[in-house]
Protein backbone atom coordinates (compact mmCIF):
# COMPACT_ATOMS: atom_id res chain seq x y z
CA UNK A 1 0.00 0.00 0.00
CA UNK A 2 1.44 3.35 -1.06
CA UNK A 3 -1.32 5.72 0.12
CA UNK A 4 -4.11 5.52 2.68
CA UNK A 5 -6.61 8.35 2.48
CA UNK A 6 -9.97 6.60 2.02
CA UNK A 7 -11.78 3.27 2.29
CA UNK A 8 -10.80 2.14 -1.21
CA UNK A 9 -7.10 2.21 -0.32
CA UNK A 10 -7.49 -0.59 2.24
CA UNK A 11 -8.96 -3.04 -0.30
CA UNK A 12 -11.33 -5.83 0.73
CA UNK A 13 -12.80 -4.98 4.15
CA UNK A 14 -13.07 -8.63 5.20
CA UNK A 15 -9.32 -9.02 4.59
CA UNK A 16 -8.61 -5.72 6.36
CA UNK A 17 -10.58 -6.92 9.39
CA UNK A 18 -8.80 -10.28 9.40
CA UNK A 19 -5.46 -8.48 9.36
CA UNK A 20 -6.54 -6.19 12.18
CA UNK A 21 -7.65 -9.09 14.38
CA UNK A 22 -4.41 -10.92 13.63
CA UNK A 23 -2.47 -7.88 14.90
CA UNK A 24 -4.74 -7.64 17.92
CA UNK A 25 -3.91 -11.22 18.91
CA UNK A 26 -0.23 -10.33 19.17
CA UNK A 27 0.72 -6.77 18.31
CA UNK A 28 4.46 -7.49 18.62
CA UNK A 29 4.64 -10.33 16.09
CA UNK A 30 5.95 -7.95 13.39
CA UNK A 31 8.37 -6.02 15.64
CA UNK A 32 11.32 -6.29 13.24
CA UNK A 33 9.42 -5.26 10.09
CA UNK A 34 10.14 -1.58 10.70
CA UNK A 35 13.79 -1.93 11.78
CA UNK A 36 15.78 1.09 10.58
CA UNK A 37 12.65 2.62 9.06
CA UNK A 38 11.35 6.00 10.15
CA UNK A 39 7.80 7.26 10.41
CA UNK A 40 7.35 11.03 10.26
CA UNK A 41 4.08 12.31 11.73
CA UNK A 42 3.23 15.83 10.57
CA UNK A 43 0.55 17.67 12.54
CA UNK A 44 -1.06 20.88 11.30
CA UNK A 45 -3.72 20.42 14.03
CA UNK A 46 -3.94 19.20 17.61
CA UNK A 47 -4.33 15.55 18.55
CA UNK A 48 -4.30 13.17 21.51
CA UNK A 49 -5.44 9.76 20.21
CA UNK A 50 -3.98 9.91 16.72
CA UNK A 51 -0.61 11.08 17.99
CA UNK A 52 -0.33 8.44 20.72
CA UNK A 53 -1.89 5.48 18.92
CA UNK A 54 0.05 5.97 15.70
CA UNK A 55 3.35 6.38 17.53
CA UNK A 56 2.60 3.28 19.61
CA UNK A 57 1.69 1.31 16.48
CA UNK A 58 4.95 2.35 14.80
CA UNK A 59 6.90 1.29 17.91
CA UNK A 60 5.13 -2.10 17.84
CA UNK A 61 6.50 -2.51 14.31
CA UNK A 62 10.03 -1.57 15.42
CA UNK A 63 10.06 1.79 13.64
CA UNK A 64 11.71 5.05 14.64
CA UNK A 65 9.33 8.00 14.92
CA UNK A 66 9.74 11.73 14.27
CA UNK A 67 6.88 14.07 15.19
CA UNK A 68 6.61 17.51 13.64
CA UNK A 69 4.06 19.97 15.02
CA UNK A 70 4.02 22.48 12.21
CA UNK A 71 2.55 25.25 14.37
CA UNK A 72 4.93 24.75 17.30
CA UNK A 73 8.59 25.39 16.61
CA UNK A 74 8.66 24.83 12.84
CA UNK A 75 8.61 27.60 10.25
CA UNK A 76 5.06 28.63 9.47
CA UNK A 77 4.19 27.04 6.14
CA UNK A 78 2.49 28.59 3.15
CA UNK A 79 0.23 25.98 1.57
CA UNK A 80 -1.13 27.76 -1.52
CA UNK A 81 0.87 27.96 -4.72
CA UNK A 82 1.12 31.32 -6.46
CA UNK A 83 0.90 33.57 -3.42
CA UNK A 84 3.44 36.38 -2.90
CA UNK A 85 5.09 35.27 0.33
CA UNK A 86 5.37 38.66 1.99
CA UNK A 87 3.42 37.63 5.12
CA UNK A 88 4.25 35.66 8.25
CA UNK A 89 4.95 32.33 6.51
CA UNK A 90 8.66 32.04 5.59
CA UNK A 91 8.58 28.54 4.03
CA UNK A 92 6.44 26.98 1.33
CA UNK A 93 5.04 23.49 1.64
CA UNK A 94 6.44 22.76 -1.82
CA UNK A 95 10.00 22.89 -0.45
CA UNK A 96 9.15 21.62 3.04
CA UNK A 97 7.44 18.42 1.82
CA UNK A 98 10.35 17.02 -0.25
CA UNK A 99 12.71 17.93 2.61
CA UNK A 100 10.54 15.98 5.08
CA UNK A 101 10.51 13.11 2.59
CA UNK A 102 14.30 12.71 2.64
CA UNK A 103 14.33 12.14 6.41
CA UNK A 104 11.81 9.31 6.60
CA UNK A 105 10.30 6.24 4.95
CA UNK A 106 6.58 6.80 5.63
CA UNK A 107 4.68 10.04 6.33
CA UNK A 108 1.45 10.51 8.29
CA UNK A 109 -0.32 13.85 7.87
CA UNK A 110 -3.02 15.60 9.89
CA UNK A 111 -4.49 18.62 8.13
CA UNK A 112 -8.07 19.64 8.91
CA UNK A 113 -10.47 21.51 6.66
CA UNK A 114 -10.22 25.29 6.98
CA UNK A 115 -14.02 25.51 6.47
CA UNK A 116 -13.69 28.74 4.47
CA UNK A 117 -13.35 27.42 0.92
CA UNK A 118 -15.24 24.20 0.22
CA UNK A 119 -13.47 23.56 -3.07
CA UNK A 120 -10.02 23.94 -1.49
CA UNK A 121 -11.00 21.60 1.37
CA UNK A 122 -12.74 18.99 -0.77
CA UNK A 123 -9.82 18.91 -3.22
CA UNK A 124 -7.71 17.71 -0.26
CA UNK A 125 -5.07 20.21 -1.29
CA UNK A 126 -2.63 19.66 1.58
CA UNK A 127 -2.46 15.86 1.78
CA UNK A 128 -2.43 15.62 -2.00
CA UNK A 129 0.66 17.82 -2.03
CA UNK A 130 2.35 15.37 0.36
CA UNK A 131 1.38 12.52 -1.97
CA UNK A 132 2.71 14.39 -4.99
CA UNK A 133 5.93 15.86 -3.63
CA UNK A 134 7.21 13.73 -0.72
CA UNK A 135 8.26 10.69 -2.76
CA UNK A 136 7.17 8.51 0.18
CA UNK A 137 4.10 6.49 1.19
CA UNK A 138 1.60 8.82 2.83
CA UNK A 139 -1.32 8.10 5.13
CA UNK A 140 -4.01 10.39 6.49
CA UNK A 141 -4.16 11.09 10.21
CA UNK A 142 -7.36 13.08 9.42
CA UNK A 143 -7.45 15.25 6.36
CA UNK A 144 -9.99 17.81 5.19
CA UNK A 145 -12.73 15.39 4.16
CA UNK A 146 -11.95 12.03 5.80
CA UNK A 147 -10.48 10.36 8.89
CA UNK A 148 -9.84 6.82 7.64
CA UNK A 149 -7.74 5.53 10.58
CA UNK A 150 -10.66 6.46 12.84
CA UNK A 151 -13.20 4.80 10.56
CA UNK A 152 -11.13 1.63 10.28
CA UNK A 153 -10.96 1.50 14.11
CA UNK A 154 -14.72 2.14 14.26
CA UNK A 155 -15.34 -0.78 11.90
CA UNK A 156 -13.11 -3.09 13.98
CA UNK A 157 -15.03 -2.04 17.11
CA UNK A 158 -18.46 -2.67 15.58
CA UNK A 159 -17.34 -6.08 14.36
CA UNK A 160 -16.17 -6.92 17.90
CA UNK A 161 -19.42 -5.88 19.57
CA UNK A 162 -22.11 -6.71 17.02
CA UNK A 163 -24.50 -9.59 17.76
CA UNK A 164 -26.17 -9.73 14.35
CA UNK A 165 -24.55 -10.07 10.94
CA UNK A 166 -25.95 -6.76 9.68
CA UNK A 167 -26.44 -4.42 12.67
CA UNK A 168 -28.38 -1.16 12.53
CA UNK A 169 -25.82 1.63 12.86
CA UNK A 170 -26.99 5.24 13.34
CA UNK A 171 -24.78 8.25 12.78
CA UNK A 172 -26.33 11.16 14.65
CA UNK A 173 -25.46 14.85 14.53
CA UNK A 174 -25.30 16.46 18.00
CA UNK A 175 -24.72 20.07 19.12
CA UNK A 176 -21.30 21.64 19.65
CA UNK A 177 -20.20 25.21 20.42
CA UNK A 178 -17.71 25.45 17.53
CA UNK A 179 -17.81 24.76 13.80
CA UNK A 180 -16.26 21.34 13.10
CA UNK A 181 -15.27 19.73 9.79
CA UNK A 182 -17.28 16.94 8.16
CA UNK A 183 -14.27 14.60 7.97
CA UNK A 184 -15.32 12.13 10.68
CA UNK A 185 -18.97 11.76 9.60
CA UNK A 186 -18.00 11.64 5.90
CA UNK A 187 -15.46 8.95 6.55
CA UNK A 188 -17.68 6.97 8.93
CA UNK A 189 -20.44 7.01 6.32
CA UNK A 190 -18.03 5.88 3.62
CA UNK A 191 -16.85 2.90 5.70
CA UNK A 192 -20.34 1.94 6.96
CA UNK A 193 -21.67 1.93 3.40
CA UNK A 194 -18.72 -0.20 2.30
CA UNK A 195 -19.41 -2.61 5.17
CA UNK A 196 -23.04 -2.82 4.02
CA UNK A 197 -24.57 -2.42 7.48
CA UNK A 198 -28.14 -1.18 7.96
CA UNK A 199 -26.93 2.43 8.06
CA UNK A 200 -28.97 5.52 8.98
CA UNK A 201 -27.85 9.15 9.23
CA UNK A 202 -29.87 11.59 11.32
CA UNK A 203 -29.36 15.34 11.56
CA UNK A 204 -31.34 18.59 11.54
CA UNK A 205 -32.30 19.94 8.10
CA UNK A 206 -29.41 21.89 6.59
CA UNK A 207 -26.73 19.48 7.80
CA UNK A 208 -26.87 17.19 4.75
CA UNK A 209 -23.46 15.68 4.02
CA UNK A 210 -21.88 15.52 0.58
CA UNK A 211 -23.97 12.92 -1.35
CA UNK A 212 -20.82 11.03 -2.34
CA UNK A 213 -20.46 10.05 1.35
CA UNK A 214 -24.15 9.54 2.13
CA UNK A 215 -24.27 6.87 -0.58
CA UNK A 216 -26.95 4.30 0.17
CA UNK A 217 -27.57 5.42 3.76
CA UNK A 218 -31.10 6.32 4.83
CA UNK A 219 -31.38 9.93 5.99
CA UNK A 220 -33.92 10.46 8.80
CA UNK A 221 -34.58 13.98 10.13
CA UNK A 222 -36.40 12.70 13.23
CA UNK A 223 -33.62 11.64 15.59
CA UNK A 224 -35.91 9.61 17.87
CA UNK A 225 -37.29 7.67 14.92
CA UNK A 226 -33.76 7.00 13.68
CA UNK A 227 -32.77 5.61 17.09
CA UNK A 228 -35.57 3.01 17.13
CA UNK A 229 -34.06 -0.48 17.13
CA UNK A 230 -30.49 0.75 16.63
CA UNK A 231 -27.60 -1.51 17.65
CA UNK A 232 -24.96 1.24 17.54
CA UNK A 233 -25.30 5.00 18.04
CA UNK A 234 -22.37 6.96 16.64
CA UNK A 235 -22.58 10.61 17.71
CA UNK A 236 -20.67 13.46 16.09
CA UNK A 237 -21.07 17.13 15.41
CA UNK A 238 -20.32 18.65 12.04
CA UNK A 239 -20.80 22.02 10.40
CA UNK A 240 -22.93 22.58 7.31
CA UNK A 241 -21.67 21.28 3.97
CA UNK A 242 -24.23 22.78 1.59
CA UNK A 243 -23.73 25.87 -0.56
CA UNK A 244 -23.25 29.25 1.09
CA UNK A 245 -23.65 27.67 4.52
CA UNK A 246 -20.42 25.68 4.13
CA UNK A 247 -18.57 25.55 7.46
CA UNK A 248 -21.33 27.33 9.37
CA UNK A 249 -23.15 26.40 12.57
CA UNK A 250 -26.88 26.32 11.79
CA UNK A 251 -28.09 24.90 15.09
CA UNK A 252 -27.03 24.30 18.67
CA UNK A 253 -30.30 22.59 19.52
CA UNK A 254 -29.70 20.70 22.77
CA UNK A 255 -32.68 18.47 21.98
CA UNK A 256 -30.18 16.58 19.75
CA UNK A 257 -27.91 15.67 22.68
CA UNK A 258 -27.71 11.88 23.09
CA UNK A 259 -29.26 11.04 26.48
CA UNK A 260 -30.71 8.06 28.32
CA UNK A 261 -34.25 8.77 27.15
CA UNK A 262 -33.19 8.49 23.51
CA UNK A 263 -30.90 5.52 24.11
CA UNK A 264 -33.95 3.72 25.61
CA UNK A 265 -35.50 3.76 22.11
CA UNK A 266 -32.66 1.62 20.75
CA UNK A 267 -31.98 -2.10 20.83
CA UNK A 268 -29.73 -1.57 23.88
CA UNK A 269 -27.35 0.16 21.49
CA UNK A 270 -23.70 0.67 22.13
CA UNK A 271 -22.66 4.32 22.24
CA UNK A 272 -19.68 5.39 20.11
CA UNK A 273 -17.80 8.64 19.56
CA UNK A 274 -14.35 9.24 18.08
CA UNK A 275 -13.38 11.57 20.99
CA UNK A 276 -12.64 14.22 22.12
CA UNK A 277 -16.28 14.69 23.10
CA UNK A 278 -18.08 17.63 24.72
CA UNK A 279 -20.05 16.07 27.56
CA UNK A 280 -23.62 17.30 28.01
CA UNK A 281 -23.51 18.88 24.55
CA UNK A 282 -22.94 15.79 22.37
CA UNK A 283 -23.77 13.16 25.00
CA UNK A 284 -24.97 13.14 28.60
CA UNK A 285 -22.68 12.01 31.41
CA UNK A 286 -25.01 9.07 32.06
CA UNK A 287 -24.74 7.70 28.53
CA UNK A 288 -20.99 8.05 28.09
CA UNK A 289 -20.41 6.51 31.53
CA UNK A 290 -22.89 3.67 30.97
CA UNK A 291 -21.89 0.06 30.41
CA UNK A 292 -23.07 0.38 26.78
CA UNK A 293 -20.51 3.11 26.07
CA UNK A 294 -17.59 1.68 24.09
CA UNK A 295 -15.66 4.89 23.46
CA UNK A 296 -12.53 3.58 25.21
CA UNK A 297 -12.28 0.25 23.33
CA UNK A 298 -12.99 2.29 20.19
CA UNK A 299 -10.02 4.55 20.94
CA UNK A 300 -7.88 1.49 21.77
CA UNK A 301 -8.55 0.15 18.28
CA UNK A 302 -6.83 3.23 16.82
CA UNK A 303 -3.54 1.51 17.62
CA UNK A 304 -4.68 -1.55 15.66
CA UNK A 305 -5.89 0.33 12.58
CA UNK A 306 -2.69 2.40 12.46
CA UNK A 307 -0.55 -0.70 12.81
CA UNK A 308 -2.45 -2.54 10.07
CA UNK A 309 -1.97 0.37 7.67
CA UNK A 310 1.73 0.90 8.42
CA UNK A 311 2.40 -2.83 8.21
CA UNK A 312 0.99 -2.84 4.67
CA UNK A 313 3.12 0.20 3.80
CA UNK A 314 6.30 -1.36 5.21
CA UNK A 315 5.68 -4.52 3.21
CA UNK A 316 5.46 -2.46 0.01
CA UNK A 317 8.68 -0.44 0.53
N1 LIG B 1 -10.31 10.70 17.37
C1 LIG B 1 -9.19 11.40 17.15
O1 LIG B 1 -8.68 11.48 16.03
O2 LIG B 1 -8.65 11.97 18.28
P1 LIG B 1 -7.51 13.06 18.28
O3 LIG B 1 -8.06 14.27 17.56
O4 LIG B 1 -7.23 13.33 19.73
O5 LIG B 1 -6.32 12.52 17.56
Amino acid sequence: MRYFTNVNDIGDLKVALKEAFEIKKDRFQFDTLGKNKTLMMVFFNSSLRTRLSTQKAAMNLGMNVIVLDVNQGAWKLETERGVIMDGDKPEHLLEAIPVMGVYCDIIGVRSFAGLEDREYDYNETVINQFIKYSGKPVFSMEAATRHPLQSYADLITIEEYKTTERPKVVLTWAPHPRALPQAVPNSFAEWMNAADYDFVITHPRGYELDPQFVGNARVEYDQRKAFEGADFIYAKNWSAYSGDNYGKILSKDMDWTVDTEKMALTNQAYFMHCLPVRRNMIVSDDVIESERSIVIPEAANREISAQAVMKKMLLSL
Side-chain angles (χ1 to χ4, degrees):
M1 183 199 287
R2 187 85 185 155
Y3 306 113
F4 179 69
T5 65
N6 65 67
V7 71
N8 296 321
D9 292 331
I10 201 75
D12 187 306
L13 284 190
K14 284 196 167 58
V15 176
L17 283 165
K18 194 164 167 271
E19 287 171 352
F21 290 126
E22 190 188 347
I23 288 167
K24 204 157 179 178
K25 259 188 240 156
D26 175 8
R27 63 198 70 197
F28 303 110
Q29 62 189 298
F30 307 106
D31 62 355
T32 55
L33 193 62
K35 187 172 164 28
N36 295 332
K37 302 291 183 209
T38 299
L39 167 69
M40 182 174 291
M41 300 199 292
V42 183
F43 288 95
F44 289 84
N45 308 94
S46 303
S47 167
L48 187 150
R49 278 143 293 273
T50 304
R51 178 184 300 261
L52 298 179
S53 61
T54 310
Q55 183 159 356
K56 175 67 165 62
M59 287 157 53
N60 294 348
L61 292 163
M63 298 184 81
N64 302 310
V65 181
I66 299 172
V67 182
L68 178 67
D69 287 296
V70 172
N71 298 318
Q72 288 173 17
W75 302 113
K76 269 195 177 175
L77 295 177
E78 178 56 63
T79 56
E80 286 187 62
R81 192 172 174 279
V83 296
I84 297 169
M85 289 175 57
D86 60 355
D88 64 343
K89 294 173 180 166
E91 178 150 28
H92 203 289
L93 208 58
L94 293 176
E95 284 75 55
I97 290 173
V99 170
M100 291 180 211
V102 299
Y103 301 140
C104 66
D105 301 283
I106 296 175
I107 303 183
V109 182
R110 167 162 284 202
S111 175
F112 291 173
L115 296 180
E116 282 171 11
D117 180 341
R118 188 171 88 173
E119 195 182 338
Y120 181 85
D121 290 342
Y122 274 67
N123 281 337
E124 288 289 7
T125 310
V126 174
I127 196 161
N128 281 336
Q129 286 184 329
F130 275 87
I131 287 171
K132 195 166 174 188
Y133 298 113
S134 70
K136 295 292 155 71
V138 172
F139 66 89
S140 167
M141 299 194 299
E142 186 171 345
T145 64
R146 293 174 176 89
H147 193 357
L149 284 178
Q150 179 65 52
S151 307
Y152 189 3
D154 296 334
L155 179 70
I156 295 166
T157 311
I158 291 171
E159 285 294 309
E160 286 178 320
Y161 282 85
K162 75 177 190 182
T163 53
T164 56
E165 187 54 33
R166 196 165 178 268
K168 179 175 176 182
V169 178
V170 178
L171 166 63
T172 180
W173 180 94
H176 193 280
R178 297 176 60 189
L180 298 185
Q182 299 97 34
V184 169
N186 282 346
S187 199
F188 186 72
E190 185 173 68
W191 286 67
M192 293 303 102
N193 280 318
D196 195 30
Y197 295 144
D198 178 9
F199 181 47
V200 178
I201 306 175
T202 184
H203 55 72
R205 289 186 189 276
Y207 279 99
E208 289 76 13
L209 295 167
D210 182 343
Q212 69 165 307
F213 296 106
V214 175
N216 294 326
R218 281 180 285 134
V219 175
E220 171 58 65
Y221 294 105
D222 181 336
Q223 190 193 34
R224 285 176 173 79
K225 203 168 162 198
F227 274 39
E228 285 170 11
D231 298 300
F232 293 88
I233 298 296
Y234 193 98
K236 186 71 184 84
N237 173 267
W238 62 90
S239 59
Y241 166 76
S242 300
D244 290 345
N245 285 330
Y246 179 69
K248 290 191 181 144
I249 295 174
L250 307 179
S251 169
K252 291 185 188 173
D253 185 352
M254 298 289 276
D255 193 40
W256 281 79
T257 301
V258 178
D259 59 17
T260 47
E261 175 248 313
K262 283 181 217 153
M263 288 300 283
L265 300 169
T266 69
N267 181 29
Q268 292 189 294
Y270 287 106
F271 175 80
M272 300 178 71
H273 189 282
C274 63
L275 305 181
V277 68
R278 300 261 184 165
R279 280 174 174 235
N280 305 308
M281 293 269 329
I282 299 279
V283 59
S284 68
D285 287 329
D286 288 350
V287 170
I288 198 165
E289 291 170 7
S290 76
E291 60 177 21
R292 305 304 281 180
S293 169
I294 52 172
V295 295
I296 306 303
E298 182 184 358
N301 279 332
R302 291 293 307 276
E303 179 183 340
I304 305 303
S305 62
Q307 192 168 334
V309 167
M310 284 188 284
K311 178 181 164 239
K312 274 179 176 291
M313 288 187 162
L314 286 168
L315 287 171
S316 70
L317 286 179

